[in-house]
Amino acid sequence: MWDRNQMAERAAQELEDGMYVNLGIGIPTLVANYVGDKDITLQSENGMLGMGPFPFEGEEDADLINAGKQTITELRRTSYFDSATSFGMIRGGKIAAAILGAMEVDEKGDLANWMIPGKLVKGMGGAMDLVAGVGRVIVVMDHTNKHGDSKLLKACTLPLTGQGVVDRIITNLGVLDVVPGGLKIVETADGVTEEGLRAATEATIV
Amino acid sequence: MKKIYPSAAAALDGLLHDGMFIAAGGFGLCGIPELLLDAIKEAGTKDLTFASNNAGVDDFGIGILLQTRQVKKMISSYVGENAEFMRQYLSGELELEFNPQGTLAERMRAGGCGIPGFYTKTGVGTVIAEGKEHKDFPTGKDGAPETYIMENGIFADLAIVKAWKADESGNLVFRKTARNFNPPAAMCGKTCVVEVEEIVPLGSLEPDNIHLPGIYVHRIIQGEHEKRIEQRTVREKA
């Protein structure tokens, strides 16, 4: 089994030199720690390319935040732009990949990550735009929920963020691709067998 | 020049009426028109509809107008940081229309450009698409059809935005990620009122570096901004 950092490290292997990438909150944010020498430019959808690390104490700037509203810093390559331009580059397919978390993914590549009926609804933010627009959608999430039920389903039960949008799923148990007919196992995590991965998965594995 | 006003109240004089539609700039608490929101609270204008990405927090941003029950409806992408908002929404006192963030930004930009509707893939197959026109375009691989939904441009009665600097003709410069929704919000307002940290003389902004031309800006005020930080995050010095 992989822990959060190992999942982030595995997700970082998806990124190639020269890519413009958007990272969601949670485990996806950790991916930035593992890009190594690769030349990756991070987009923050509130209007920035070339997102830098958190500032040192005393150097926070109220005018410089990421999409999670956290204070951040700029880099020598940084550019700023308005929200319409920011989502123009997302909708226009200029962002090579988005790595984001999910509540449910199904075997058709449908993704649910913004709303649980009956619970407090905070909004989808930019998630619907990202999954509909970027070149490749990579989901990073735990394979099962806290009750041990598979989060990789035959069909999502929660309201969708996007339909047929997911390309690859990285969980604590392994890596799966969305292919015609279901999910295909790409690799298993350390100490996880293919049988173990299948047993923990509700979605059809082809 | 005639665009400069002495205070937020003076700049809004004659522009406010109950039931009006206001587009506001800002993302979270970053780059929000805090002085103009204070003045709208003081004016007591009611039944407002706001197109704004967020709804502030309980005591800052649009949140202060929720405390005084001046807001009828919010058009937003994310409202999670505001307890009073949730209370009013769950009790049915407040209407809420969720828009995907990029759709909201483009609705403002489109309205400002005289475009009443546009097609987007965002939200296809989700609750956002329900009741909207669907249309296929040959944008897929080898001209394969892909489905889009139509979204409407926003035409607001008033835009309230925050910029870093304005010159006396209303040319604007924003600072870092405080630009966010401010330019598209400014564009979609029939009238646009801007608050800035500094008004500078004509000729002191580089014409090549204007972020929003003064044609979109009708009234300007200068003032002191609190610029509150919502999530202060820092790293340790090595």
Side-chain angles (χ1 to χ4, degrees), chain B residues 65-84:
Chain B
L65 302 179
L66 294 166
Q67 300 285 356
T68 50
R69 313 286 175 86
Q70 287 172 262
V71 182
K72 183 181 71 175
K73 180 178 177 180
M74 291 295 309
I75 303 171
S76 304
S77 87
Y78 192 84
V79 296
E81 319 301 341
N82 194 316
E84 176 63 14

Side-chain angles (χ1 to χ4, degrees), chain B residues 130-163:
Chain B
E130 287 172 9
K132 289 177 181 161
E133 182 198 332
H134 287 58
K135 188 169 176 173
D136 287 355
F137 290 89
T139 51
K141 203 176 173 205
D142 302 323
E146 294 184 301
T147 303
Y148 292 72
I149 54 173
M150 200 189 78
E151 297 281 1
N152 293 322
I154 285 176
F155 301 87
D157 299 315
L158 173 68
I160 55 171
V161 307
K162 154 79 173 42

Side-chain angles (χ1 to χ4, degrees), chain A residues 54-56 60-65 69-71 74 82-83 87 91 121-126 128-129 160, chain B residues 30 54 77-79 86 98 100-103 120 122 126 175-178 180-181 227 231-235:
Chain A
F54 295 140
F56 294 121
E60 310 92 324
D61 185 336
D63 289 337
L64 183 44
I65 63 169
K69 288 136 190 166
Q70 298 170 308
T71 45
E74 64 186 22
D82 67 71
S83 299
F87 283 92
R91 203 184 299 104
V121 183
K122 294 182 171 187
M124 72 291 285
M128 285 190 181
D129 310 273
L160 297 183
Chain B
C30 180
N54 312 95
S77 87
Y78 192 84
V79 296
M86 282 301 165
F98 274 129
Q101 193 174 144
T103 293
T120 177
T122 302
T126 76
R175 187 170 175 276
K176 303 184 188 286
T177 58
N180 58 58
F181 273 84
K227 300 214 283 187
Q231 305 275 351
R232 188 179 300 273
T233 46
V234 295
R235 74 189 135 130

Side-chain angles (χ1 to χ4, degrees), chain B residues 25-59:
Chain B
F27 180 91
L29 302 181
C30 180
I32 59 172
E34 48 183 278
L35 307 175
L36 292 163
L37 289 169
D38 278 339
I40 291 171
K41 181 186 172 186
E42 289 305 313
T45 319
K46 288 194 167 47
D47 295 327
L48 300 172
T49 294
F50 270 97
S52 170
N53 189 56
N54 312 95
V57 293
D58 282 336
D59 64 341

Side-chain angles (χ1 to χ4, degrees), chain B residues 56 162 165 179 211:
Chain B
K162 154 79 173 42
K165 293 179 180 178
R179 192 182 318 188
H211 297 148

